[in-house]
Structures are given as structure tokens and as C-alpha cells.
Amino acid sequence: MKQAVLTAAGKFELGDAPKPSPASGEALVRVRAVGVCGSDLHMFREGSIGGITIQDAGGPFVPGHECVGVVEEAGPGVQPSLAGRRVFVEPTINCGRCRWCLAGVPNVCPHQRFLGLPPQGGCLAEYLVHPARLCTPLPDDIDDDTAALLEPLAIAVHSLDRLGVAGGCPAVVLGAGTMGLTHVLLLARSGVAPLIVTDLLDYRLELARQLGATRTLNPTRDDVVAVCRELTGVHGADFVFECAGVDETFGQMVEVAAPAGAVGVVGIPVEDRLAFKHSAARRKGLDVRMIRRANRTFDRALARTIAEKLPLGRLATHHWPLAQTQQAHETAANYRDGVVKAIINP
Ligand SMILES: [Zn+2]
Ligand SMILES: [Zn+2]
């Protein structure tokens, strides 16, 4: 089978590998669509993320974790009827036995492996073997683009859970990439008002408005902190989501939050460090929460997409075949051509 191998920072090569076969409890998935994630772009640009490097794969490294495909073969011990079903693939392979898994927080399982994060290989390939328990059948009316975006939407569902978002309060989303926009989709339907969204790219702000933002700000023109305060009756927003992972937004997140407000840190920085003004956070008694992956929220992400007719597929702006994985990553990494979510169809 063909697979996309990240051989060094900035360089993909199309490689050949034997078609895998499913072990006990696994499914063989013919991959149909893979979303290029911001975390993949860190690996592509910098060759590392959070201290984990390409070399940690210990061999050819295949990225990719936002995956939809069709089960071609059910391994031993797997319900045979799974074969032939189109599924979305939950990328966190938790152990299922530790106290965090048993306590209902498998997203922080210390024994977890994650699809497409060394040492675990990913889904930028024609085929993938994955635990069948993490492959969930999809209804026919959910298209592949939407299905590939369920992973970032599931993270946003978890993120809103973590902050206990309630209606009737102001909310701010800093950064309007895929993660910011999946937050906007949910927040716009959660009764928050106003819903303020910031980004450096005007085309992303335009999409944010179409998806439900009531006000957008571009820090190249707008004083984000001053305008957020003005729009929220001086005191700031009760719910703030940092979805850019840069020093500026880490600084802003505590400045635009209201007293006793909650701040969710979703973005991942290049340098493995998070800094904000201590006094601003302390005096307001802010609740700063780190958002770690999705937490058993795929089913709810799917249910909300169907029930609320979320226009999730609108985030999928670009498509490439597997052979053009390099171009897909270059376009996404350089914010070219109005890209939001690049989808690769192996
Ligand atoms: Zn992702
Ligand atoms: Zn565990």
C-alpha cells in the first residue's frame, strides 16, 4: 500500500509498505479522508511537538489522526458485521485499565498511544489497523469531510464541558483556525452573547461570522483587550477559549476574562511554554484549564452535528490525493489560498 512518510521537517515522501492485517480486536480500515491538524503542522514545520520528534517513531513516520474510512476486515474477536461499515476512528488508544481510564478521563491516560504521534504511526496511508472498539459506524448522511472533522469537534465538546459553559454570558474565542471554529459552532448554539472571535486572517473571521460569531476582531487593526472589555460591559467574558497557541493570545486570554471567569487553553505553542500575567489571573480568581484531546465526546459530537445540522463540513476548504500530501501541508502551514482544513483523500 501507499503511505505518506514525513522523512524530515518540511519533507514528505510517498512510500510503500505491506498492507497490514488486523490482529485480535482490531479492524482493517481502508482510509477515505484524513484532516490535516494544527498538531500535524507542528510536526511538519518543526519536526517535533511538545518534545516528541519524528525520530521517536524509530523508523518511517506516518502522521495523521483525523480519520474516516471503511472497515475492510474485522480481526479475530471483532463483530463481523463491522466489515463494510464506514467509520470514524477515535485516535486516542487508551489502556482501559488504569485509574484514569476507569475514572472516565481516558484522555489523560498515561499509557495512551495516539494515532500519528510517535511512536504510533498514523493514517496518512491507504490502510490502517486500529482497535475496533475505537471505530464507530457512521450514518450515510454524514459525508467524509464532516466525519473527518468530528475529531476536532469532539475536542470542542470536551472543552465546553471542562469550562461548564452556560448561556447568557459573554464568550471570547482567540484564534479562528479549525479548533477556534469548532468552538464557535458549539458556542453559537449554547446561548452565549456576545460571541467574540479574533484572528489575524480576515477570511477566517468572515467564516467565523457565518458560523455564529457576533463580533470579530483582527489584532492587526483592533485593540483586542480594549474592545472585548467594551463589548462585555467593561468586565470581560465569563468563558474564554485560547485556540491559537501563541504568546499574544496566552497574554490576552487572562486580560479579556471576567472575574471568576474560566479560560480554556486549547492551542499548542511552538516553544513548550505558557506565560500570562499572574496578577491579572490571580486578582480575578480565574479558572485556567488545560484542554487535553477529546474525552469520550465523539458520540455527542456526532449527535449534535446531526441534531443541530452543524455546518461542520464548511471547514473543509481543500482536498488533495495522498500523492500531494506535501502540497497539502505546505498550503495549510503557510495559510495559503484561504485554507482552513486541508483534507487528504488516500
Ligand atoms: Zn487533530
Ligand atoms: Zn489508561
Side-chain angles (χ1 to χ4, degrees):
M1 67 164 183
K2 297 288 180 207
Q3 60 181 16
V5 179
L6 187 62
T7 56
K11 189 157 174 44
F12 271 102
E13 281 173 17
L14 199 62
D16 281 299
K19 182 176 166 182
S21 55
S24 178
E26 289 183 335
L28 174 69
V29 178
R30 174 69 179 93
V31 180
R32 286 171 62 97
V34 179
V36 175
C37 179
S39 61
D40 297 322
L41 296 177
H42 278 292
M43 268 299 185
F44 178 69
R45 277 186 297 235
E46 294 122 36
S48 67
I49 182 167
I52 298 170
T53 69
I54 295 171
Q55 288 71 32
D56 293 329
F61 169 53
V62 177
H65 63 267
E66 300 178 1
C67 180
V68 54
V70 173
V71 174
E72 194 169 282
E73 189 186 338
V78 175
Q79 189 66 252
S81 62
L82 191 63
R85 296 297 304 270
R86 199 167 57 103
V87 295
F88 68 78
V89 169
E90 194 163 340
T92 302
I93 308 168
N94 66 308
C95 81
R97 289 183 298 274
C98 71
R99 69 183 172 96
W100 294 276
C101 282
L102 296 176
V105 282
N107 58 315
V108 293
C109 167
H111 312 292
Q112 68 177 263
R113 290 173 293 140
F114 189 77
L115 196 61
L117 184 71
Q120 185 74 22
C123 57
L124 276 174
E126 290 177 310
Y127 290 93
L128 168 75
V129 286
H130 201 67
R133 69 183 167 94
L134 301 174
C135 298
T136 303
L138 286 161
D140 290 341
D141 54 354
I142 294 291
D143 62 31
D144 286 347
D145 284 352
T146 302
L149 280 152
L150 285 171
E151 196 261 344
L153 184 68
I155 296 171
V157 171
H158 169 54
S159 178
L160 267 67
D161 283 354
R162 283 274 285 157
L163 266 60
V165 166
C169 308
V172 174
V173 177
L174 301 167
T178 297
M179 283 317 310
L181 292 171
T182 53
H183 279 74
V184 169
L185 277 170
L186 299 177
L187 287 166
R189 290 157 179 81
S190 303
V192 299
L195 172 53
I196 305 164
V197 181
T198 73
D199 202 277
L200 293 167
L201 300 169
D202 285 328
Y203 73 87
R204 292 188 172 190
L205 294 176
E206 168 67 32
L207 185 53
R209 287 192 294 275
Q210 291 171 13
L211 299 179
T214 58
R215 181 69 188 265
T216 56
L217 303 173
N218 185 328
T220 61
R221 292 188 300 270
D222 302 306
D223 182 336
V224 167
V225 174
V227 179
C228 281
R229 285 184 182 155
E230 183 188 314
L231 292 170
T232 55
V234 180
H235 291 299
D238 297 76
F239 304 106
V240 178
F241 295 91
E242 193 292 319
C243 298
V246 295
D247 289 347
E248 289 81 357
T249 46
F250 289 147
Q252 289 161 358
M253 69 185 190
V254 296
E255 302 290 348
V256 302
V263 177
V265 183
V266 183
I268 299 175
V270 172
E271 198 197 335
D272 197 2
R273 201 153 288 280
L274 163 61
F276 52 80
K277 198 166 162 192
H278 189 279
S279 61
R282 183 184 75 251
R283 286 179 186 142
K284 292 191 269 194
L286 296 182
D287 191 357
V288 178
R289 299 198 158 202
M290 307 303 291
I291 308 303
R292 172 65 164 167
R293 309 202 193 292
N295 182 20
R296 303 165 300 144
T297 42
F298 280 81
D299 291 347
R300 278 165 60 210
L302 177 61
R304 286 193 67 169
T305 300
I306 295 168
E308 300 173 40
K309 296 187 169 56
L310 298 182
L312 188 57
R314 292 207 45 202
L315 274 56
T317 51
H318 289 65
H319 297 82
W320 281 275
L322 190 66
Q324 286 176 270
T325 296
Q326 175 79 22
Q327 289 90 325
H329 282 70
E330 281 176 0
T331 301
N334 295 301
Y335 309 105
R336 274 188 214 136
D337 194 26
V339 67
V340 178
K341 176 62 78 182
I343 302 277
I344 295 168
N345 300 109

